[in-house]
Amino acid sequence: MLGVIGGSGFYSFFGPDARSINLDTPYGAPSAAITVGSVGEHEVAFLPRHGVRHEFSPHTVPYRANMWAMRALGVRRIFAPCAVGSLNPALGPGAMVVPDQLVDRTSGRADTYFDSGGIHVGFADPYCPALRAAAAELPGVVDGGTMVVIQGPRFSTRAESRWFADQGFTLVNMTGYPEAVLARELEICYAAIALVTDLDAGVEAGAGVRAVDVFAEFERNMVGFKKLVREAIGGVADASTCTHCLAHEGVTLPFDLP
């Protein structure tokens, strides 16, 4: 089964005929019930990251519960569409980007299932190459870029934004971590698909980023963005042959994965 975790403004993916599944986990309830439907030949599970009414801010999303619930349901490959700010003037609102690198600037978020046992996962390349290719090869999609993940819920200052841009980072986001590393710990293939909603504060002069503008831009692009996610799903092979995301080969874990 494939999975989709929708970001801000991406609260539904299927019609009323989809079945809804409520799951509990050792880390509490996920953000919402998981809906399961079909995209082409694939069975797909959808979870809105922030809840169906955007109940969860970026720093309060139950990331561990979300990823655990998806794995328990049988999901082994996840696309993660998300809203991002651009740190590159060449990538304006409406651009769709498949990042290949991530920088974590969050703090205080529970970002592992392994609080004991000395388990370490490789994370040099944080996204699944097979899933990235399925999305990045689509027409009009920008392939590659570094997404810096900030704590939120506030937006960056101009100085922070210029600092990120000077480091060569491409996108700024609030939810891409710890989601990506939790997927790796659960040996789930994972790739982000980013929709640019704004130029970040240090890139463009003016009043700075406003949430109302971010949501409006996301809504303007929602039909095309969902179409892109469906096309990416259609480009995924029926059976996974990825070994990149099998983080625990040769390692004895302190508990069984769901």
Side-chain angles (χ1 to χ4, degrees):
M1 187 184 295
L2 271 71
V4 174
I5 298 181
S8 297
F10 202 136
Y11 307 125
S12 64
F13 196 52
F14 301 113
D17 55 331
R19 71 182 192 272
S20 180
I21 301 173
N22 288 288
L23 292 175
D24 199 10
T25 80
Y27 306 95
S31 297
I34 298 173
T35 54
V36 178
S38 297
V39 176
E41 299 299 315
H42 290 289
E43 187 178 34
V44 178
F46 173 77
L47 176 64
R49 181 182 294 114
H50 297 280
V52 293
R53 294 178 299 278
H54 208 105
E55 302 97 299
F56 297 98
S57 291
H59 64 298
T60 64
V61 169
Y63 295 102
R64 290 194 295 181
N66 286 351
M67 301 307 291
W68 190 276
M70 287 293 232
R71 165 98 190 187
L73 194 60
V75 171
R76 297 296 182 270
R77 294 177 286 180
I78 289 177
F79 283 114
C82 58
V84 298
S86 173
L87 297 164
N88 182 347
L91 295 176
M96 299 183 192
V97 185
V98 180
D100 59 353
Q101 276 297 319
L102 177 153
V103 172
D104 171 32
R105 292 289 301 170
T106 66
S107 61
R109 299 184 183 187
D111 62 355
T112 183
Y113 295 105
F114 300 107
D115 291 321
S116 63
I119 304 300
H120 309 275
V121 297
F123 202 53
D125 298 297
Y127 302 114
C128 172
L131 290 188
R132 282 197 69 258
E137 292 173 357
L138 294 173
V141 175
V142 178
D143 181 3
T146 296
M147 184 166 73
V148 57
V149 185
I150 61 174
Q151 175 69 1
R154 69 169 179 85
F155 294 114
S156 301
T157 67
R158 295 187 195 280
E160 289 169 333
S161 180
R162 288 192 293 268
W163 177 38
F164 297 150
D166 287 345
Q167 298 305 305
F169 306 156
T170 315
L171 309 168
V172 59
N173 165 266
M174 297 181 188
T175 57
Y177 189 90
E179 203 170 83
V181 73
L182 293 173
R184 184 63 52 84
E185 287 194 344
L186 293 178
E187 297 192 328
I188 295 173
C189 293
Y190 176 98
I193 306 176
L195 171 64
V196 174
T197 58
D198 59 274
L199 293 176
D200 214 45
V203 179
E204 183 177 52
V209 182
R210 300 191 311 158
V212 64
D213 299 328
V214 168
F215 285 116
E217 184 64 28
F218 205 90
E219 183 62 29
R220 277 192 291 272
N221 289 279
M222 183 53 60
V223 172
F225 197 35
K226 287 184 177 180
K227 180 175 181 288
L228 174 70
V229 174
R230 290 190 172 95
E231 290 174 347
I233 291 170
V236 174
D238 290 340
S240 175
T241 59
C242 175
T243 58
H244 175 83
C245 302
L246 300 180
H248 305 305
E249 284 191 306
V251 175
T252 300
L253 299 181
F255 54 83
D256 293 331
L257 299 182

